[in-house]
Amino acid sequence: MSNPQQLRYSKEHEWLSAAEADVATVGITEFAANALGDVVYAQLPEVGSTVQAGETCGELESTKSVSDLYSPVSGEIVEINQDVVDDPSLVNSAPFEGGWLFKVRVADEPADLLSADEYDAHTAA
């Protein structure tokens, strides 16, 4: 499993793209998608709502379990991936591409986000 080097990662298994015009894209990692199993339902935060870093902002339901979705940063939700709501299996088939979950206007980014190498070490433990 290869985590893209240009992304940053949370210990809760979300990834975050670099912000463009203060807006970053968030998804879950391939590690998390594999651990969940086949995702069958995605409840994403509402556009216009605010999220806090490390707090629950939605959930993903799979054939194995239900898992909370955490925001890796604080900010305002500006877009959700309607394709994932319509076809949650995108989270499994393309976690770093079409399976992204939401876009957030970043107000605050915690210092404890991990690089790809640090995330690899975290998941190997």
Side-chain angles (χ1 to χ4, degrees):
M1 172 177 346
S2 178
N3 293 300
Q5 292 291 320
Q6 74 275 17
L7 301 177
R8 284 162 294 150
Y9 302 85
S10 73
K11 291 181 179 176
E12 289 79 28
H13 309 290
E14 282 80 25
W15 58 261
L16 177 77
S17 71
E20 293 181 27
D22 295 329
V23 175
T25 304
V26 175
I28 67 164
T29 64
E30 185 176 3
F31 177 88
N34 289 339
L36 273 172
D38 295 333
V39 176
V40 296
Y41 176 75
Q43 177 193 356
L44 303 179
E46 292 184 27
V47 172
S49 65
T50 56
V51 293
Q52 297 298 316
E55 292 187 5
T56 302
C57 64
E59 67 181 28
L60 297 173
E61 183 177 329
S62 73
T63 54
K64 291 182 182 179
S65 67
V66 175
S67 179
D68 287 333
L69 176 63
Y70 298 91
S71 180
V73 294
S74 297
E76 179 187 356
I77 302 299
V78 297
E79 183 180 350
I80 63 163
N81 187 347
Q82 188 61 46
D83 291 341
V84 164
V85 173
D86 296 339
D87 181 7
S89 70
L90 288 171
V91 171
N92 298 104
S93 63
F96 297 113
E97 296 89 26
W100 62 274
L101 301 175
F102 60 88
K103 294 186 180 188
V104 59
R105 180 168 285 109
V106 179
D108 184 45
E109 185 175 310
D112 65 348
L113 291 176
L114 307 172
S115 69
D117 292 339
E118 290 167 332
Y119 182 75
D120 289 342
H122 171 68
T123 57

Short mmCIF file of all heavy atoms in Angstrom, two decimals, residues 7-54:
data_model
loop_
_atom_site.label_atom_id
_atom_site.label_comp_id
_atom_site.label_asym_id
_atom_site.label_seq_id
_atom_site.Cartn_x
_atom_site.Cartn_y
_atom_site.Cartn_z
N LEU A 7 0.25 14.25 0.44
CA LEU A 7 -0.83 14.39 1.39
C LEU A 7 -0.30 14.37 2.82
O LEU A 7 0.80 13.90 3.08
CB LEU A 7 -1.86 13.26 1.22
CG LEU A 7 -2.50 13.14 -0.15
CD1 LEU A 7 -3.44 11.94 -0.20
CD2 LEU A 7 -3.24 14.42 -0.53
N ARG A 8 -1.12 14.86 3.76
CA ARG A 8 -0.85 14.72 5.18
C ARG A 8 -1.93 13.84 5.77
O ARG A 8 -3.02 13.75 5.22
CB ARG A 8 -0.79 16.09 5.84
CG ARG A 8 0.54 16.76 5.48
CD ARG A 8 0.55 18.23 5.70
NE ARG A 8 -0.40 18.80 4.74
CZ ARG A 8 -1.08 19.89 4.95
NH1 ARG A 8 -0.92 20.56 6.05
NH2 ARG A 8 -1.93 20.36 4.06
N TYR A 9 -1.64 13.22 6.91
CA TYR A 9 -2.50 12.18 7.46
C TYR A 9 -2.75 12.40 8.94
O TYR A 9 -1.89 12.89 9.67
CB TYR A 9 -1.84 10.81 7.26
CG TYR A 9 -1.57 10.53 5.81
CD1 TYR A 9 -0.40 10.97 5.19
CD2 TYR A 9 -2.51 9.86 5.02
CE1 TYR A 9 -0.18 10.75 3.84
CE2 TYR A 9 -2.29 9.64 3.68
CZ TYR A 9 -1.13 10.09 3.09
OH TYR A 9 -0.91 9.88 1.76
N SER A 10 -3.96 11.99 9.38
CA SER A 10 -4.27 12.03 10.81
C SER A 10 -4.09 10.63 11.38
O SER A 10 -4.15 9.63 10.66
CB SER A 10 -5.70 12.51 11.04
OG SER A 10 -6.62 11.50 10.69
N LYS A 11 -3.92 10.55 12.68
CA LYS A 11 -3.80 9.25 13.34
C LYS A 11 -5.14 8.51 13.32
O LYS A 11 -5.18 7.32 13.57
CB LYS A 11 -3.29 9.43 14.76
CG LYS A 11 -1.84 9.88 14.79
CD LYS A 11 -1.32 10.04 16.19
CE LYS A 11 0.14 10.48 16.14
NZ LYS A 11 0.68 10.75 17.47
N GLU A 12 -6.23 9.22 12.99
CA GLU A 12 -7.56 8.59 12.87
C GLU A 12 -7.80 8.09 11.44
O GLU A 12 -8.91 7.71 11.10
CB GLU A 12 -8.66 9.58 13.29
CG GLU A 12 -8.70 9.86 14.77
CD GLU A 12 -7.62 10.86 15.20
OE1 GLU A 12 -7.21 11.71 14.37
OE2 GLU A 12 -7.16 10.78 16.35
N HIS A 13 -6.77 8.16 10.57
CA HIS A 13 -6.78 7.58 9.22
C HIS A 13 -7.50 8.42 8.17
O HIS A 13 -7.97 7.89 7.18
CB HIS A 13 -7.32 6.14 9.25
CG HIS A 13 -6.64 5.30 10.28
ND1 HIS A 13 -5.34 4.90 10.17
CD2 HIS A 13 -7.09 4.83 11.47
CE1 HIS A 13 -5.00 4.20 11.24
NE2 HIS A 13 -6.05 4.15 12.04
N GLU A 14 -7.55 9.73 8.38
CA GLU A 14 -8.02 10.62 7.32
C GLU A 14 -6.80 11.22 6.62
O GLU A 14 -5.74 11.37 7.23
CB GLU A 14 -8.89 11.76 7.88
CG GLU A 14 -10.31 11.34 8.21
CD GLU A 14 -10.44 10.62 9.52
OE1 GLU A 14 -9.60 10.82 10.41
OE2 GLU A 14 -11.40 9.83 9.67
N TRP A 15 -6.98 11.57 5.35
CA TRP A 15 -5.92 12.28 4.64
C TRP A 15 -6.40 13.68 4.29
O TRP A 15 -7.60 13.94 4.25
CB TRP A 15 -5.44 11.53 3.39
CG TRP A 15 -6.48 11.23 2.35
CD1 TRP A 15 -7.14 10.05 2.16
CD2 TRP A 15 -6.98 12.11 1.32
NE1 TRP A 15 -8.00 10.14 1.10
CE2 TRP A 15 -7.92 11.39 0.55
CE3 TRP A 15 -6.70 13.43 0.96
CZ2 TRP A 15 -8.59 11.95 -0.54
CZ3 TRP A 15 -7.37 13.98 -0.12
CH2 TRP A 15 -8.30 13.25 -0.86
N LEU A 16 -5.45 14.57 4.06
CA LEU A 16 -5.72 15.97 3.79
C LEU A 16 -4.80 16.44 2.69
O LEU A 16 -3.59 16.25 2.77
CB LEU A 16 -5.46 16.79 5.07
CG LEU A 16 -5.62 18.30 4.98
CD1 LEU A 16 -7.10 18.67 4.97
CD2 LEU A 16 -4.91 18.97 6.15
N SER A 17 -5.39 17.05 1.64
CA SER A 17 -4.57 17.62 0.58
C SER A 17 -4.04 18.98 1.02
O SER A 17 -4.57 19.59 1.96
CB SER A 17 -5.40 17.80 -0.69
OG SER A 17 -6.34 18.85 -0.52
N ALA A 18 -3.03 19.47 0.34
CA ALA A 18 -2.56 20.83 0.59
C ALA A 18 -3.69 21.80 0.22
O ALA A 18 -4.37 21.60 -0.79
CB ALA A 18 -1.32 21.11 -0.23
N ALA A 19 -3.87 22.82 1.02
CA ALA A 19 -4.95 23.78 0.77
C ALA A 19 -4.63 24.65 -0.43
O ALA A 19 -3.51 25.14 -0.58
CB ALA A 19 -5.17 24.64 2.01
N GLU A 20 -5.62 24.79 -1.30
CA GLU A 20 -5.54 25.72 -2.42
C GLU A 20 -6.59 26.78 -2.16
O GLU A 20 -7.77 26.46 -2.03
CB GLU A 20 -5.82 25.00 -3.74
CG GLU A 20 -4.74 24.00 -4.11
CD GLU A 20 -5.04 23.32 -5.44
OE1 GLU A 20 -5.73 23.91 -6.28
OE2 GLU A 20 -4.56 22.19 -5.60
N ALA A 21 -6.18 28.06 -2.07
CA ALA A 21 -7.08 29.15 -1.69
C ALA A 21 -7.77 28.83 -0.37
O ALA A 21 -8.95 29.05 -0.20
CB ALA A 21 -8.09 29.42 -2.80
N ASP A 22 -7.00 28.27 0.57
CA ASP A 22 -7.46 27.91 1.91
C ASP A 22 -8.44 26.74 1.94
O ASP A 22 -9.03 26.45 2.98
CB ASP A 22 -8.07 29.11 2.64
CG ASP A 22 -7.06 30.21 2.90
OD1 ASP A 22 -5.88 29.88 3.08
OD2 ASP A 22 -7.46 31.38 2.92
N VAL A 23 -8.68 26.06 0.82
CA VAL A 23 -9.60 24.93 0.79
C VAL A 23 -8.80 23.64 0.57
O VAL A 23 -8.01 23.53 -0.36
CB VAL A 23 -10.67 25.10 -0.32
CG1 VAL A 23 -11.54 23.85 -0.43
CG2 VAL A 23 -11.54 26.32 -0.04
N ALA A 24 -9.02 22.67 1.46
CA ALA A 24 -8.33 21.37 1.38
C ALA A 24 -9.36 20.26 1.20
O ALA A 24 -10.51 20.40 1.61
CB ALA A 24 -7.52 21.12 2.65
N THR A 25 -8.95 19.19 0.58
CA THR A 25 -9.79 18.01 0.36
C THR A 25 -9.45 16.97 1.42
O THR A 25 -8.29 16.79 1.77
CB THR A 25 -9.55 17.44 -1.05
OG1 THR A 25 -9.80 18.47 -2.01
CG2 THR A 25 -10.46 16.26 -1.33
N VAL A 26 -10.50 16.28 1.91
CA VAL A 26 -10.34 15.27 2.97
C VAL A 26 -10.94 13.95 2.50
O VAL A 26 -11.98 13.92 1.85
CB VAL A 26 -11.06 15.74 4.26
CG1 VAL A 26 -11.03 14.65 5.33
CG2 VAL A 26 -10.47 17.03 4.78
N GLY A 27 -10.27 12.86 2.84
CA GLY A 27 -10.78 11.52 2.58
C GLY A 27 -10.25 10.58 3.64
O GLY A 27 -9.57 11.00 4.57
N ILE A 28 -10.55 9.29 3.50
CA ILE A 28 -9.95 8.30 4.40
C ILE A 28 -8.89 7.53 3.62
O ILE A 28 -8.94 7.44 2.40
CB ILE A 28 -10.97 7.34 5.05
CG1 ILE A 28 -11.61 6.42 4.03
CG2 ILE A 28 -11.99 8.11 5.85
CD1 ILE A 28 -12.32 5.22 4.67
N THR A 29 -7.95 7.00 4.34
CA THR A 29 -6.82 6.31 3.72
C THR A 29 -7.22 4.92 3.22
O THR A 29 -8.24 4.36 3.61
CB THR A 29 -5.67 6.16 4.73
OG1 THR A 29 -6.11 5.30 5.79
CG2 THR A 29 -5.21 7.50 5.26
N GLU A 30 -6.38 4.39 2.36
CA GLU A 30 -6.58 3.03 1.87
C GLU A 30 -6.54 2.03 3.03
O GLU A 30 -7.30 1.07 3.06
CB GLU A 30 -5.51 2.69 0.83
CG GLU A 30 -5.70 1.35 0.17
CD GLU A 30 -4.68 1.09 -0.93
OE1 GLU A 30 -3.78 1.93 -1.16
OE2 GLU A 30 -4.79 0.04 -1.56
N PHE A 31 -5.66 2.28 4.01
CA PHE A 31 -5.58 1.44 5.21
C PHE A 31 -6.94 1.38 5.91
O PHE A 31 -7.43 0.30 6.25
CB PHE A 31 -4.50 1.99 6.15
CG PHE A 31 -4.38 1.25 7.45
CD1 PHE A 31 -3.55 0.14 7.56
CD2 PHE A 31 -5.09 1.66 8.57
CE1 PHE A 31 -3.44 -0.55 8.76
CE2 PHE A 31 -4.99 0.98 9.77
CZ PHE A 31 -4.16 -0.14 9.87
N ALA A 32 -7.56 2.55 6.11
CA ALA A 32 -8.86 2.61 6.78
C ALA A 32 -9.94 1.96 5.93
O ALA A 32 -10.80 1.24 6.45
CB ALA A 32 -9.22 4.06 7.09
N ALA A 33 -9.92 2.22 4.63
CA ALA A 33 -10.93 1.63 3.74
C ALA A 33 -10.85 0.11 3.76
O ALA A 33 -11.88 -0.58 3.82
CB ALA A 33 -10.75 2.16 2.32
N ASN A 34 -9.64 -0.43 3.76
CA ASN A 34 -9.47 -1.89 3.82
C ASN A 34 -9.93 -2.45 5.16
O ASN A 34 -10.55 -3.51 5.22
CB ASN A 34 -8.02 -2.27 3.56
CG ASN A 34 -7.60 -2.07 2.13
OD1 ASN A 34 -8.43 -2.00 1.22
ND2 ASN A 34 -6.31 -1.94 1.90
N ALA A 35 -9.65 -1.73 6.25
CA ALA A 35 -10.07 -2.18 7.57
C ALA A 35 -11.60 -2.16 7.71
O ALA A 35 -12.17 -3.04 8.35
CB ALA A 35 -9.43 -1.32 8.65
N LEU A 36 -12.24 -1.18 7.09
CA LEU A 36 -13.70 -1.08 7.16
C LEU A 36 -14.39 -2.19 6.38
O LEU A 36 -15.45 -2.65 6.76
CB LEU A 36 -14.17 0.26 6.57
CG LEU A 36 -14.21 1.45 7.48
CD1 LEU A 36 -14.52 2.70 6.69
CD2 LEU A 36 -15.27 1.25 8.56
N GLY A 37 -13.82 -2.58 5.27
CA GLY A 37 -14.51 -3.50 4.37
C GLY A 37 -15.34 -2.69 3.39
O GLY A 37 -15.13 -1.50 3.23
N ASP A 38 -16.30 -3.33 2.76
CA ASP A 38 -17.09 -2.67 1.72
C ASP A 38 -17.98 -1.59 2.32
O ASP A 38 -18.92 -1.88 3.06
CB ASP A 38 -17.96 -3.69 0.98
CG ASP A 38 -17.12 -4.70 0.22
OD1 ASP A 38 -15.99 -4.36 -0.18
OD2 ASP A 38 -17.60 -5.84 0.02
N VAL A 39 -17.70 -0.33 1.98
CA VAL A 39 -18.50 0.80 2.48
C VAL A 39 -19.82 0.84 1.71
O VAL A 39 -19.84 0.82 0.48
CB VAL A 39 -17.73 2.12 2.35
CG1 VAL A 39 -18.59 3.30 2.79
CG2 VAL A 39 -16.43 2.08 3.17
N VAL A 40 -20.92 0.87 2.47
CA VAL A 40 -22.25 0.84 1.86
C VAL A 40 -23.06 2.11 2.13
O VAL A 40 -24.12 2.32 1.54
CB VAL A 40 -23.06 -0.39 2.34
CG1 VAL A 40 -22.40 -1.68 1.86
CG2 VAL A 40 -23.23 -0.40 3.85
N TYR A 41 -22.57 2.98 3.03
CA TYR A 41 -23.30 4.21 3.35
C TYR A 41 -22.31 5.25 3.85
O TYR A 41 -21.41 4.94 4.64
CB TYR A 41 -24.35 3.93 4.44
CG TYR A 41 -25.08 5.16 4.91
CD1 TYR A 41 -26.07 5.76 4.13
CD2 TYR A 41 -24.77 5.74 6.14
CE1 TYR A 41 -26.73 6.90 4.58
CE2 TYR A 41 -25.44 6.86 6.59
CZ TYR A 41 -26.42 7.44 5.80
OH TYR A 41 -27.07 8.57 6.23
N ALA A 42 -22.48 6.49 3.39
CA ALA A 42 -21.63 7.59 3.85
C ALA A 42 -22.51 8.75 4.32
O ALA A 42 -23.34 9.24 3.56
CB ALA A 42 -20.72 8.06 2.72
N GLN A 43 -22.33 9.14 5.58
CA GLN A 43 -22.99 10.33 6.11
C GLN A 43 -21.89 11.37 6.25
O GLN A 43 -20.99 11.24 7.08
CB GLN A 43 -23.63 10.06 7.47
CG GLN A 43 -24.25 11.31 8.07
CD GLN A 43 -24.60 11.15 9.54
OE1 GLN A 43 -24.44 10.09 10.11
NE2 GLN A 43 -25.05 12.22 10.13
N LEU A 44 -21.96 12.40 5.40
CA LEU A 44 -20.93 13.43 5.37
C LEU A 44 -21.46 14.71 6.02
O LEU A 44 -22.67 14.91 6.12
CB LEU A 44 -20.52 13.71 3.92
CG LEU A 44 -20.03 12.48 3.14
CD1 LEU A 44 -19.67 12.86 1.71
CD2 LEU A 44 -18.83 11.83 3.84
N PRO A 45 -20.55 15.59 6.46
CA PRO A 45 -21.01 16.84 7.08
C PRO A 45 -21.73 17.71 6.05
O PRO A 45 -21.50 17.58 4.84
CB PRO A 45 -19.71 17.50 7.55
CG PRO A 45 -18.63 16.88 6.74
CD PRO A 45 -19.09 15.49 6.40
N GLU A 46 -22.61 18.58 6.53
CA GLU A 46 -23.38 19.44 5.63
C GLU A 46 -22.55 20.63 5.17
O GLU A 46 -21.77 21.18 5.95
CB GLU A 46 -24.63 19.96 6.35
CG GLU A 46 -25.65 18.88 6.63
CD GLU A 46 -26.92 19.46 7.25
OE1 GLU A 46 -27.23 20.63 7.01
OE2 GLU A 46 -27.59 18.69 7.97
N VAL A 47 -22.74 21.02 3.91
CA VAL A 47 -22.10 22.22 3.39
C VAL A 47 -22.55 23.40 4.25
O VAL A 47 -23.72 23.54 4.57
CB VAL A 47 -22.46 22.43 1.90
CG1 VAL A 47 -21.96 23.78 1.40
CG2 VAL A 47 -21.89 21.30 1.05
N GLY A 48 -21.58 24.23 4.63
CA GLY A 48 -21.87 25.38 5.48
C GLY A 48 -21.66 25.12 6.95
O GLY A 48 -21.56 26.06 7.74
N SER A 49 -21.59 23.84 7.34
CA SER A 49 -21.35 23.53 8.75
C SER A 49 -19.86 23.72 9.07
O SER A 49 -19.02 23.74 8.17
CB SER A 49 -21.79 22.10 9.07
OG SER A 49 -21.01 21.16 8.37
N THR A 50 -19.57 23.86 10.35
CA THR A 50 -18.17 23.98 10.76
C THR A 50 -17.75 22.68 11.44
O THR A 50 -18.56 22.01 12.08
CB THR A 50 -17.95 25.17 11.71
OG1 THR A 50 -18.80 25.03 12.84
CG2 THR A 50 -18.22 26.48 11.02
N VAL A 51 -16.50 22.34 11.26
CA VAL A 51 -15.93 21.14 11.87
C VAL A 51 -14.72 21.55 12.69
O VAL A 51 -14.09 22.58 12.44
CB VAL A 51 -15.53 20.10 10.80
CG1 VAL A 51 -16.75 19.54 10.10
CG2 VAL A 51 -14.56 20.68 9.78
N GLN A 52 -14.42 20.74 13.69
CA GLN A 52 -13.27 20.97 14.56
C GLN A 52 -12.29 19.81 14.38
O GLN A 52 -12.70 18.65 14.31
CB GLN A 52 -13.70 21.05 16.02
CG GLN A 52 -14.63 22.22 16.32
CD GLN A 52 -13.98 23.55 16.06
OE1 GLN A 52 -12.82 23.79 16.42
NE2 GLN A 52 -14.71 24.44 15.40
N ALA A 53 -11.03 20.13 14.33
CA ALA A 53 -10.00 19.10 14.19
C ALA A 53 -10.13 18.05 15.28
O ALA A 53 -10.27 18.38 16.45
CB ALA A 53 -8.62 19.74 14.23
N GLY A 54 -10.15 16.78 14.86
CA GLY A 54 -10.20 15.68 15.80
C GLY A 54 -11.59 15.30 16.28
O GLY A 54 -11.74 14.34 17.01
#
